[in-house]
Amino acid sequence: MTRESRPLTKTAASSGNITSGNTFPAAGTQSVNGGGKSTGSASALRTMDNSLSHAISSACDWLVGQQKPDGHWVGPVASNASMEAEWCLALWFLGLDDHPLRPRLGKALLEMQREDGSWGTYYGAGNGDINATVESYAALRSLGYPADDPAISRAATWIASKGGLKNIRVFTRYWLALIGEWPWEKTPNLPPEVIWFPNNFVFSIYNFAQWARATLVPLAILSARRPSRPLRPQDRLDALFPGGRANFDYELPARGDRDLWGRFFRATDRGLHWLQSRFLKRNTLREAAIRHMLEWIIRHQDADGGWGGIQPPWVYGLMALHGEDYQFHHPVMAKALSALNDPGWRHDRGDASWIQATNSPVWDTMLAIMALHDADGETQFSPQMEKALGWLLDRQVRVKGDWSIKLPDVEPGGWAFEYANDRYPDTDDTAVALIALSSCRNREEWKKRGVEEAISRGVNWLIGMQSECGGWGAFDKDNNRSILSKIPFCDFGEALDPPSVDVTAHVLEAFGILGLPRHMPTIQRALAYIRAEQEPDGPWFGRWGVNYLYGTGAVLPALAAIGEDMKQPYITKACDWLVAHQQENGGWGESCASYMELSMVGRGVTTPSQTAWALMGLIAANRPQDYGAIARGCRYLIDLQQADGSWHEKEFTGTGFPGYGVGQTIKLDDPALSKRLQQGAELSRAFMLRYDLYRQFFPIMALSRASRLMKLEK
């Protein structure tokens, strides 16, 4: 496959094996759009020759300047205030109330508070989030901030204005229980005995998504033991119980979809609480289950001290082990606590500190390699790229993880997202790693280093991970048991990891670039899946990036990479949708609110990363009538570039969880959607991210591909 057909877009995995049925605003009707129509002039591209080259060169210089001494790249990953609040509360729970990190986390929380007193889930959200606000309020109180402190009183007023604590999520209820502010009996019960369920049973822990599984295990221990370390009397959260705790209704709020299974699981939860309070506290079987879970936790600890490469299993794992009398000097505990000082997790600024929800060195490094390769950087930046390729090659995971429980005969060969997460390589990182490594596969020195073997192992692992529907999920095959999302525990983000279009597109792109034959069944099944997932108006849903711009920007380069006829009507429809959503300034933008509000699909503040995704999609299709739109998009990026060669981007364009529960696209025109999901455009059940270096990687790719297109048209 030639470099001209190269593409990409981002992330790590999962959406669904259904078509959502959404009907999007008609092309060209949005008031924010720049024009819906495009002048197809190749001369518009040619006139940018010098400015395009200069923008690419200065952007690459800036990017190379960010490379770490050992060859990798990593940028900060921003999320929401719950990360800092929960760590602050966890250290209190552990008895480490004098830990030097706690006041620094408090300072970070104060910096993140909105003017109205709340905390939000993503930059630019129209409304604050009740869960992040309650957790931040509790964390600041645990630090001794008095009730009449302006930040505290504003938060309490905002919480009261939103109905108080009655609508907080399950995880926030757990945190309040851990500090003595919520009865454990009114939290969803997680019996540790689930660890005994056979792997082929629907409620096996291996049918939950990777992140849910790794979190469920330590939480089950905490749920069984019901520990708490109450706040000091003067710091208690009395203001959040204006009618008194005795008169408060602690029951979970009713959803709009109280179907038979939902009612069944609510009743089962009440029964489990009854059993626990009478028979299961120190039952022999329960003690054995807890021991087994402790072994599972210890066995799954990452080399850097965390668990699963993400915050929840790390913070809950620490507390669960502490409750079982693991001392701080125990190697597992010591390593987990020391990770809080690891710059891979922690970001300090002034007297404030942030603990990231995850870290992205492998992902960032492969995207940097791709960007520099697109920019013909092999000559100018040869030493830097060689070092990066070596670092990436060494990160291939060659041990079996949780995915192998269902695929015992598949050999390992994937890549993980983070520094140390061998248990959970993901298909998205693996696909993009293969694209990055393809640039050196034909060179003798890299053949001697085993690059071809690594690529072969990666391809075979991906083929083994393909789901029955033809798509790929992030961490597991066929992780789509929707009944699990009905369990009360699963009212957060997503409990499942079904296939998604964006990940599937990246896998197809990798296979095309590596020269796998188009007619092979794996590729044909994936192509059929992608075509079935297209929305009626042309775009594709973005599971791991915001949103339809991300999904569509991933699919079109993938189709070009496998040699699809880019003049087909379904591709034309996708391109028309992209052009129709270009804005007056030449850029593209889509708000995180698009995951809940149909009117926000394809709309939002324009950003460098999302503009680049749209451009890469249009460039891959290479329709002459789109050259004008491509030129305007490039001009937007050039004009927005800073003097040092970088771009700025405050908006969140990465997705952790849309908050749907099922992990895949759903119908946004459902009038009961907000009540059923218990979230609006503020995305209270979702988890959104800003990958700092997206602002650099993707514009370099888009401008470089536009430059090649321009040269072809001369």
Side-chain angles (χ1 to χ4, degrees):
M1 204 37 88
T2 64
R3 289 186 55 202
E4 282 66 35
S5 67
R6 282 262 316 259
L8 176 87
T9 338
K10 136 74 220 163
T11 293
S14 165
S15 173
N17 186 26
I18 61 170
T19 300
S20 74
N22 295 332
T23 301
F24 301 110
T29 62
Q30 292 87 340
S31 61
V32 296
N33 286 350
K37 295 182 180 180
S38 172
T39 57
S41 172
S43 63
L45 286 173
R46 290 196 291 269
T47 58
M48 295 191 303
D49 193 1
N50 291 333
S51 58
L52 198 58
S53 298
H54 179 267
I56 295 168
S57 177
S58 60
C60 290
D61 286 341
W62 185 92
L63 181 59
V64 168
Q66 307 305 306
Q67 189 177 27
K68 303 298 181 183
D70 66 355
H72 81 281
W73 280 266
V74 64
V77 181
S79 54
N80 65 70
S82 286
M83 298 299 101
E84 288 67 44
E86 291 174 3
W87 273 114
C88 192
L89 293 172
L91 291 170
W92 166 266
F93 173 85
L94 293 170
L96 300 175
D97 29 314
D98 293 329
H99 194 289
L101 181 60
R102 285 208 344 123
R104 298 185 62 87
L105 295 172
K107 294 292 186 182
L109 289 173
L110 293 175
E111 286 191 25
M112 299 167 73
Q113 190 177 27
R114 294 158 46 109
E115 287 295 322
D116 62 3
S118 69
W119 282 264
T121 57
Y122 59 92
Y123 179 83
N127 297 310
D129 170 41
I130 186 66
N131 305 296
T133 303
V134 169
E135 292 175 14
S136 297
Y137 177 92
L140 290 171
R141 294 308 310 275
S142 80
L143 286 165
Y145 285 82
D148 59 357
D149 181 275
I152 297 296
S153 60
R154 283 190 296 124
T157 300
W158 186 91
I159 292 169
S161 73
K162 301 302 177 183
L165 299 178
K166 65 180 181 181
N167 291 320
I168 59 174
R169 65 186 176 187
V170 163
F171 275 72
T172 304
R173 293 166 185 245
Y174 284 132
W175 280 105
L176 294 183
L178 287 164
I179 59 172
E181 296 291 330
W182 198 274
W184 272 106
E185 295 79 6
K186 296 299 182 179
T187 63
N189 193 288
L190 286 173
E193 290 79 9
V194 299
I195 198 71
W196 301 119
F197 289 164
N199 297 332
N200 58 357
F201 183 47
V202 65
F203 297 113
S204 163
I205 63 171
Y206 295 102
N207 284 328
F208 288 86
Q210 169 263 332
W211 52 86
R213 176 191 321 140
T215 301
L216 180 154
V217 172
L219 259 180
I221 297 174
L222 293 169
S223 179
R225 299 302 198 203
R226 299 179 176 177
S228 69
R229 187 189 178 210
L231 299 176
R232 297 178 303 174
Q234 66 269 30
D235 297 329
R236 297 205 63 193
L237 312 185
D238 295 339
L240 304 188
F241 298 89
R245 289 174 172 77
N247 298 318
F248 186 81
D249 181 7
Y250 294 96
E251 296 297 328
L252 285 167
R255 290 187 185 179
D257 65 341
R258 293 292 301 279
D259 59 12
L260 180 61
W261 279 116
R263 292 193 295 272
F264 170 78
F265 287 126
R266 293 285 182 106
T268 301
D269 186 68
R270 289 191 292 271
L272 287 171
H273 274 296
W274 181 85
L275 285 171
Q276 175 159 328
S277 63
R278 286 162 175 77
F279 304 110
L280 296 178
K281 284 187 177 180
R282 293 290 172 180
N283 178 277
T284 302
L285 181 63
R286 165 144 296 187
E287 293 303 308
I290 289 175
R291 286 196 300 273
H292 194 45
M293 282 191 154
L294 290 170
E295 292 170 1
W296 193 96
I297 292 171
I298 293 170
R299 191 168 62 249
H300 279 73
Q301 187 177 34
D302 296 334
D304 65 358
W307 277 272
I310 52 177
Q311 183 259 14
W314 178 16
V315 70
Y316 292 121
L318 256 174
M319 293 189 294
L321 291 169
H322 173 72
E324 299 304 303
D325 294 328
Y326 281 75
Q327 303 302 305
F328 296 136
H329 61 264
H330 187 282
V332 172
M333 296 289 285
K335 187 189 292 187
L337 284 169
S338 68
L340 289 170
N341 298 319
D342 187 334
W345 286 103
R346 175 172 164 175
H347 173 61
D348 295 336
R349 188 177 69 225
D351 58 356
S353 292
W354 288 259
I355 304 297
Q356 297 184 166
T358 186
N359 51 55
S360 56
V362 181
W363 182 249
D364 287 347
T365 300
M366 58 183 67
L367 291 179
I369 292 171
M370 286 190 58
L372 293 173
H373 178 62
D374 271 346
D376 294 321
E378 276 86 355
T379 300
Q380 183 179 357
F381 304 113
S382 178
Q384 294 91 341
M385 291 189 69
E386 295 291 292
K387 187 177 287 189
L389 286 165
W391 188 92
L392 180 61
L393 183 62
D394 291 342
R395 291 305 178 281
Q396 187 173 35
V397 177
R398 299 202 174 193
V399 296
K400 292 191 173 184
D402 279 9
W403 57 270
S404 66
I405 296 295
K406 294 185 178 181
L407 297 170
D409 297 326
V410 173
E411 290 299 315
W415 275 262
F417 188 73
E418 306 88 351
Y419 281 109
N421 188 15
D422 285 355
R423 287 279 178 176
Y424 301 111
D426 66 88
T427 58
D428 210 9
D429 272 270
T430 302
V432 180
L434 295 177
I435 295 172
L437 291 173
S438 69
S439 65
C440 68
R441 68 181 303 201
N442 295 321
R443 289 157 50 190
E444 286 301 321
E445 65 269 30
W446 284 100
K447 289 181 180 179
K448 292 177 181 177
R449 293 186 63 173
V451 68
E452 196 62 34
E453 179 198 359
I455 289 174
S456 178
R457 291 177 70 103
V459 167
N460 290 336
W461 185 73
L462 285 175
I463 291 173
M465 292 288 285
Q466 187 176 28
S467 292
E468 289 299 318
C469 67
W472 277 267
F475 298 95
D476 291 289
K477 177 176 180 175
D478 294 319
N479 191 270
N480 53 8
R481 304 289 186 94
S482 60
I483 190 174
L484 297 177
S485 66
K486 305 289 185 180
I487 299 172
F489 161 73
C490 295
D491 86 328
F492 67 96
E494 317 298 332
L496 304 173
D497 178 22
S500 69
V501 167
D502 42 23
V503 175
T504 302
H506 293 160
V507 175
L508 270 189
E509 182 179 350
F511 286 177
I513 288 170
L514 292 172
L516 273 67
R518 171 186 165 82
H519 63 266
M520 67 182 291
T522 294
I523 290 179
Q524 287 301 307
R525 289 171 54 222
L527 179 59
Y529 166 77
I530 285 177
R531 296 197 61 169
E533 289 292 305
Q534 187 178 22
E535 302 292 346
D537 289 353
W540 281 272
F541 174 78
R543 166 60 182 85
W544 293 96
V546 184
N547 174 354
Y548 291 91
L549 289 176
Y550 182 73
T552 310
V555 168
L556 293 174
L559 297 177
I562 63 170
E564 185 79 339
D565 179 1
M566 301 302 281
K567 295 183 175 62
Q568 294 181 80
Y570 83 100
I571 294 176
T572 295
K573 185 182 290 187
C575 293
D576 289 344
W577 185 89
L578 284 175
V579 172
H581 287 79
Q582 188 174 28
Q583 299 188 29
E584 290 289 350
N585 62 7
W588 280 264
E590 187 170 20
S591 168
C592 298
S594 63
Y595 283 109
M596 282 298 295
E597 293 190 354
L598 190 61
S599 63
M600 295 305 296
V601 167
R603 302 179 65 180
V605 175
T606 54
T607 66
S609 61
Q610 291 171 319
T611 297
W613 297 340
L615 283 172
M616 288 191 287
L618 293 176
I619 292 167
N622 193 15
R623 301 192 309 173
Q625 64 264 40
D626 295 339
Y627 288 171
I630 292 170
R632 290 198 304 276
C634 291
R635 175 54 58 189
Y636 166 83
L637 290 176
I638 292 169
D639 291 345
L640 198 66
Q641 190 177 32
Q642 305 295 306
D644 64 357
S646 69
W647 285 269
H648 288 173
E649 184 170 287
K650 294 182 178 179
E651 286 71 26
F652 283 36
T653 62
T655 307
F657 309 132
Y660 299 161
V662 292
Q664 59 191 16
T665 181
I666 60 176
K667 293 182 178 180
L668 295 183
D669 56 0
D670 178 0
L673 183 64
S674 183
K675 183 178 181 181
R676 179 162 58 84
L677 294 184
Q678 298 175 328
Q679 72 171 6
E682 84 290 340
L683 302 183
S684 285
R685 288 185 44 168
F687 190 76
M688 310 308 296
L689 298 160
R690 181 180 67 240
Y691 296 99
D692 184 62
L693 292 180
Y694 273 20
R695 61 191 169 98
Q696 202 72 14
F697 300 142
F698 295 112
I700 292 175
M701 293 181 198
L703 293 176
S704 298
R705 296 174 193 185
S707 179
R708 290 202 300 275
L709 182 63
M710 177 189 67
K711 292 173 183 176
L712 287 173
E713 295 301 320
K714 282 187 175 180

